[in-house]
Amino acid sequence: MAGASVWLAERSSDDTRWVAHSLGVENELSLLQLAVRRAESGQRGYLLTQDPDYLKVYEESVQTIPTRMANLKAMVDDNSEQTARVQQLAEVVAAKHDELLKIADLQRQGRNSDALAIIRDPAGQATMGSFTDVGTAVRTAERALLADRTARSAATARWLLATTLLGAVAIMVLAGISILLIRRSNLSLARAQQALAESNSHLEEKVAERTVDLQDANDELQRFAYIVSHDLRSPLVNIMGFTGELDAIRRDLIEQDRRDADEQRSQIYEDFDEALGFIKASISKMDRLINAILNLSRAGRRDFNPQQLDLNQMLKTIQDAVMHQAQEADAVIEIGPMPTIESDRLAIEQIFSNLVDNAVKYLKPGRPGRIGVTATERGGFVIIRVEDNGRGIDAADRERVFELFRRAGAQDRPGEGIGLAHVRALVRRVGGKIRLDSEPGEGSTFTVILPRSWRA
C-alpha cells in the first residue's frame, strides 16, 4: 500500500502538471490574441483620433507579440499536431505583425490616407479571420487535451484516496502528505481555471470597448471629410461673392466722386484696392489648397490598373510638353533609352511629369540648364534617375520637400508644396521608392525605383 501510494502520488503530480500545462497553453494563446487585437485597435484609434493613449496601447501591445508567439511555440513543442497548428498561427501572426508595422511606418511618414487604405483592405480582414480560425483550432485541440488530462488526474486522485484510506493506519504519515498534495493540486487547478475565465472575460470586454471607440472615430472622420469638402467651401464661396460686391461698390464710389476727388480720397481708394487684393489672393490660395486636398484624397481612392508602358514614348511626350519652358530657360532635356514596364499609366505619367517640370522650374539663373533622364535595370526592378544642374536642395530640406504643403529654398516660383508629396505617394502606391540626392548650387537627382511588373 505504501508503494502504491507513492506511485499514485507521483502520477497525480504528473497529471496535475500536464493539466497546468494545458491551462498555460490556453492562457498564453489568450494573451497573444489580446496583444494582436489591442495592437490593431490601438493603432486604428490613434490613426483616426491622434489620441496618444491609443498610440501607447499600440506600442505596448506590438512589442509583446513576438514574445507571446515564442512562448506559445515553446509550450507545444511536445505535441507534433499542436506544433503544426501553432506554426500556421505564427505565419498568420507574422503577416499581421508586418501589416501593423507597415501601417505605423505610413503614420510616421504622415501618409494617413495610405494607412487607412491598408486598414480597409479586405486582405487585412482576411488575415484577422485566419488568425481567429487558427487560434480557435489550437484552443479546441488544447481543451480536448485538457479534458483528457483532467479526467486522468481525477481518476488518479480517486485511486490515491482509496489506497490511502485502506492503508491509513500503516501509512498515516504518507497518507497525510498525499492528501495535502491532492488538495494543493485541486486548488491550483481551480485557480488556473478561474484566472483563465477572468482573462477571457477581460479580453471580450476590451474588444467590445475598442470596437465602439473605433466606430466613433470612423464617424468623426467622415464628419471631418464632409466639413472639408462642403462646409469649408460654402463660406469661401460667400466671401468670394461679397468681395465682388465690394469691388462693384468701389467702382460706383469712384464714379460718383470723380468730380470732387482729392488727394486724401485717392489714398483711401489705394488702401481699399490693396486690402481687396490681399483678400482675393487669400481666397484664391485657400481655394487651391482645398482643391489640392480633395484631389489627393480622390487619387488615394482611385483604382489603379497595371498595363504595359513604353517609357520611351511616355517621357518623349513629357519632354515635348515642357519644351517651351525649357527653351525659355536656355535648358536642354536629354532622355536616355528607357525600358518597358507594367504599371499604372496615369500614376507613372504624373510622377515623371512632376519631376521633369520641377527640374525645369528650379534651374539656376545665369547657367545653361541640363536635365537628363536615364534608366538602368536590376533584377525585377527599374531604376530611373531625373538629374539636373539647377539650384539644388539643402540637406536639411531633402526630406521636408516630400511633405504636404512644404517647400524649400527661395519662394520665387508659383506652387503650393503639393507636387513632390503627391509624387512620393504615387511611387509607393505602385510598389516603388523614391530618393533625393542634392547639393546646393550644383543640382539634384531624384532616383525612382519601380518594379518591372507591378500588380494592384
Side-chain angles (χ1 to χ4, degrees):
M1 288 183 182
S5 296
V6 172
W7 179 79
L8 288 171
E10 291 177 352
R11 180 173 173 179
S12 176
S13 176
D14 188 62
D15 289 342
T16 301
R17 181 176 63 83
W18 280 110
V19 169
H21 175 78
S22 291
L23 291 172
V25 171
E26 282 200 55
N27 187 59
E28 196 65 36
L29 177 61
S30 296
L31 293 175
L32 173 64
Q33 292 175 324
L34 177 61
V36 173
R37 294 187 183 278
R38 279 172 58 86
E40 183 183 54
S41 298
Q43 186 183 71
R44 293 186 178 184
Y46 178 69
L47 177 62
L48 297 172
T49 66
Q50 300 300 309
D51 187 341
D53 289 341
Y54 286 113
L55 179 60
K56 182 179 179 181
V57 170
Y58 162 75
E59 291 174 344
E60 291 176 351
S61 300
V62 80
Q63 290 175 2
T64 64
I65 291 174
T67 302
R68 295 298 182 197
M69 194 68 251
N71 291 344
L72 187 60
K73 284 184 176 180
M75 295 179 73
V76 300
D77 61 359
D78 60 289
N79 187 318
S80 60
E81 294 181 357
Q82 281 291 72
T83 298
R85 295 187 188 98
V86 170
Q87 180 59 37
Q88 184 181 359
L89 182 65
E91 295 172 1
V92 177
V93 170
K96 188 62 182 179
H97 189 254
D98 291 343
E99 177 187 310
L100 291 171
L101 294 179
K102 182 177 181 182
I103 293 173
D105 185 53
L106 292 174
Q107 286 180 271
R108 286 191 290 271
Q109 297 167 9
R111 296 176 54 207
N112 287 350
S113 60
D114 289 343
L116 285 171
I118 295 177
I119 290 175
R120 297 189 182 108
D121 192 336
Q125 299 176 4
T127 301
M128 286 304 297
S130 299
F131 175 71
T132 301
D133 294 341
V134 178
T136 300
V138 174
R139 188 184 302 279
T140 301
E142 199 62 39
R143 284 182 176 175
L145 290 172
L146 176 62
D148 180 64
R149 290 165 178 173
T150 302
R152 282 189 294 171
S153 178
T156 301
R158 289 192 296 271
W159 278 107
L160 180 57
L161 180 59
T163 303
T164 301
L165 291 175
L166 292 175
V169 177
I171 52 172
M172 184 65 69
V173 176
L174 184 59
I177 295 174
S178 299
I179 292 172
L180 179 63
L181 290 175
I182 293 171
R183 289 178 177 176
R184 193 173 292 175
S185 298
N186 290 337
L187 181 60
S188 298
L189 179 61
R191 287 175 178 173
Q193 290 174 335
Q194 182 179 0
L196 180 61
E198 291 177 356
S199 175
N200 289 336
S201 175
H202 292 326
L203 176 62
E204 293 174 357
E205 291 174 1
K206 289 294 184 182
V207 170
E209 180 182 344
R210 293 292 180 255
T211 301
V212 172
D213 292 342
L214 185 59
Q215 183 62 47
D216 292 341
N218 282 334
D219 294 341
E220 186 65 27
L221 184 63
Q222 290 176 359
R223 287 192 293 271
F224 174 75
Y226 179 79
I227 290 172
V228 170
S229 62
H230 182 271
D231 290 2
L232 191 59
R233 176 159 288 177
S234 295
L236 185 62
V237 171
N238 291 334
I239 293 172
M240 293 175 68
F242 282 113
T243 303
E245 290 289 336
L246 288 175
D247 198 16
I249 292 172
R250 170 193 167 280
R251 289 195 298 271
D252 292 342
L253 289 173
I254 291 175
E255 184 65 27
Q256 203 172 41
D257 295 343
R258 188 180 299 278
R259 298 174 185 174
D260 51 345
D262 55 31
E263 183 177 350
Q264 184 177 6
R265 184 177 286 106
S266 299
Q267 182 61 43
I268 292 173
Y269 286 140
E270 289 179 6
D271 294 341
F272 187 91
D273 290 344
E274 182 180 6
L276 194 62
F278 282 130
I279 292 174
K280 289 182 177 179
S282 298
I283 291 171
S284 298
K285 182 175 181 179
M286 188 175 179
D287 189 51
R288 290 196 301 272
L289 292 177
I290 292 173
N291 286 331
I293 292 172
L294 294 177
N295 288 336
L296 286 176
S297 177
R298 295 190 191 102
R301 295 192 301 268
R302 181 176 69 84
D303 291 332
F304 281 40
N305 299 307
Q307 56 183 290
Q308 288 293 326
L309 303 177
D310 184 351
L311 293 184
N312 280 304
Q313 180 181 356
M314 180 180 292
L315 286 166
K316 182 64 171 62
T317 302
I318 295 173
Q319 180 185 26
D320 294 340
V322 299
M323 185 58 67
H324 179 69
Q325 295 95 310
Q327 290 175 349
E328 288 183 348
D330 190 22
V332 175
I333 302 176
E334 299 175 347
I335 308 293
M338 292 287 140
T340 298
I341 66 173
E342 186 176 1
S343 192
D344 182 79
R345 175 177 295 278
L346 181 58
I348 301 302
E349 286 179 347
Q350 290 178 336
I351 290 168
F352 291 105
S353 292
N354 270 283
L355 293 179
V356 174
D357 183 67
N358 278 356
V360 174
K361 185 187 296 184
Y362 296 105
L363 290 170
K364 188 173 182 180
R367 181 170 64 189
R370 182 186 60 79
I371 301 168
V373 184
T374 58
T376 57
E377 299 183 50
R378 184 178 302 167
F381 293 89
V382 174
I383 303 171
I384 304 173
R385 295 179 176 86
V386 180
E387 183 178 2
D388 65 67
N389 64 340
R391 303 178 182 182
I393 298 173
D394 190 80
D397 293 326
R398 288 175 196 162
E399 183 62 26
R400 180 182 177 183
V401 296
F402 290 105
E403 298 177 5
L404 194 61
F405 305 134
R406 295 294 187 93
R407 304 179 69 194
Q411 308 295 310
D412 57 348
R413 293 289 188 273
E416 306 298 339
I418 296 170
L420 288 179
H422 193 202
V423 165
R424 183 164 68 173
L426 289 173
V427 169
R428 288 174 172 168
R429 183 70 170 79
V430 296
K433 296 181 179 179
I434 185 169
R435 184 181 72 246
L436 168 61
D437 299 295
S438 183
E439 289 294 333
E442 299 297 326
S444 303
T445 300
F446 287 88
T447 303
V448 181
I449 304 174
L450 298 172
R452 189 195 307 271
S453 180
W454 175 75
R455 291 285 184 272

